[in-house]
Amino acid sequence: MRRVRLLPLHVLVLTSLLPLGREALPVVINTWPFRNASAAAWSVLQSGGSVLDAVEEGCARCEIEQCDGSVGYGGSPDETGETTLDAMIMNGDTMEVGAVADLRRIKNAIGVARAVMERTDHTLLVGESASVFAENMGFIAEDLTTNKSVNIFSQWLKGNCQPNYHKNVFPDPSKSCGPYKPRVTLEQRRRQDNMLSHDTIGMIAIDQDGHVAAGTSTNGLTHKIPGRVGDSPIVGAGAYADSSAGAAAATGDGDVMMRFLPSYLAVELMRAGADPSAACKAAISRIKRHHSEFFGAIICANTTGHYAAACNKAPGLSQFRYMVSNSESNTPLLKTVDCF
Ligand SMILES: *[C@@H]1O[C@H](CO)[C@@H](O)[C@H](O)[C@H]1NC(C)=O
Ligand SMILES: *[C@@H]1O[C@H](CO)[C@@H](O)[C@H](O)[C@H]1NC(C)=O
Ligand SMILES: *[C@@H]1O[C@H](CO)[C@@H](O)[C@H](O)[C@H]1NC(C)=O
């Protein structure tokens, strides 16, 4: 997957001329250069929609466009070749959250997440049951497989199922496709696939009145063990929003990142007075202490619409790009931050 892409020169010049810290409300910020998602969310706010509508529309745009192959149908097939989706949406006014994980056969994962929030007392529905719920709510069941995902899957099978996320099992997962059984002797094996398929859309929207919402959508990690759920649908990990403090959304190696609740941490730091940049950096630093080379980034915004991002310098990630839409311009702006 193309991760390090070159930045068009004119965009570089434009972004470098923009003064930092002068941004006004409303604002939409999202991970990665998913421009159409940003534009979609922005136009919802401009036409009077709520921040929840904006986040839902923005993330849904990525689900339709299959952003980077890592959001929506037809990407990141698991060990059985199936694409499953994770998504979450959070209302920073009420602290309500709706999320789905391991969602099968339904393309509009963020829409189902919102239905969980608005049409149940629950927070997170998973797997087959989440799909049944979605169908009952009127979402259409469709095959999420595409020729592309079939191809990714068959290449993986041909390559002895590498990368492979089993450990402490036999036969040796660095050479074989399983099935695997537990092993008595512990055998540590470093994960090989640091760089692939961790893109996720995470989005924050704040309107003129300071209503804050955040959301995420992803198809997870390619070749994951079926049932694996990453950070995206986990509150405080993939995203967090609190209209009294701000919002954050994270992207990267979810298996590691979710153990540190980076989005929650960043929002709490902003509540305690940290500016968005310091909050983002602190959330990354916390993970870095234990995983110096983890692949990941986070975006942060406080209640006045000031925003920042931070990323961990790792093989394949020296800069992180994200999108911002606000009243500065009519078009989403591509922002770049150097990783540390
Ligand atoms: C973004 O939207 C434009 C206009 O609808 C479309 O032509 C383009 O293909 C979209 N970009 C992506 C990456 O899907
Ligand atoms: C997918 O592959 C099948 C053959 O395996 C082919 O008939 C079909 O046209 C392909 N679809 C697309 C969209 O490329
Ligand atoms: C948000 O952060 C900016 C610095 O980037 C700071 O000037 C502003 O006061 C902060 N807003 C709040 C509500 O803390």
Side-chain angles (χ1 to χ4, degrees), residues 57-121:
E57 277 295 311
C59 292
R61 177 60 57 128
C62 258
E63 291 170 348
I64 294 163
E65 289 183 359
Q66 303 168 286
C67 286
D68 258 3
S70 61
V71 184
Y73 68 100
S76 306
D78 69 16
E79 279 194 337
T80 67
E82 183 175 2
T83 294
T84 60
L85 307 181
D86 298 344
M88 183 234 297
I89 190 162
M90 181 163 191
N91 179 339
D93 288 349
T94 62
M95 307 306 283
E96 289 171 299
V97 175
V100 284
D102 195 16
L103 180 71
R104 312 176 65 189
R105 300 189 307 276
I106 311 284
K107 288 184 177 174
N108 181 207
I110 186 94
V112 182
R114 187 156 183 193
V116 170
M117 179 168 77
E118 295 185 342
R119 300 184 191 284
T120 79
D121 285 328

Side-chain angles (χ1 to χ4, degrees), residues 26-45:
V27 65
V28 171
I29 307 153
N30 63 265
T31 56
W32 306 108
F34 301 151
R35 178 177 298 274
N36 287 355
S38 185
W42 180 249
S43 90
V44 169
L45 285 186

Side-chain angles (χ1 to χ4, degrees), residues 240-260:
Y240 201 66
D242 184 337
S243 299
S244 67
T251 177
D253 183 352
D255 290 304
V256 164
M257 294 176 78
M258 70 191 295
R259 302 169 192 168
F260 298 87

Side-chain angles (χ1 to χ4, degrees), residues 168-188:
N168 306 327
V169 294
F170 73 91
D172 184 349
S174 72
K175 303 190 192 78
S176 118
C177 287
Y180 307 102
K181 291 197 161 54
R183 223 189 137 94
V184 185
T185 21
L186 286 189
E187 161 206 310
Q188 298 304 333

Side-chain angles (χ1 to χ4, degrees), residues 3 25 60 76 94 142 175 194 236 265 275 283 291 305 340:
R3 179 168 302 285
L25 296 175
S76 306
T94 62
E142 295 169 88
K175 303 190 192 78
N194 267 331
L265 176 59
D275 68 42
H291 300 274
F340 73 100

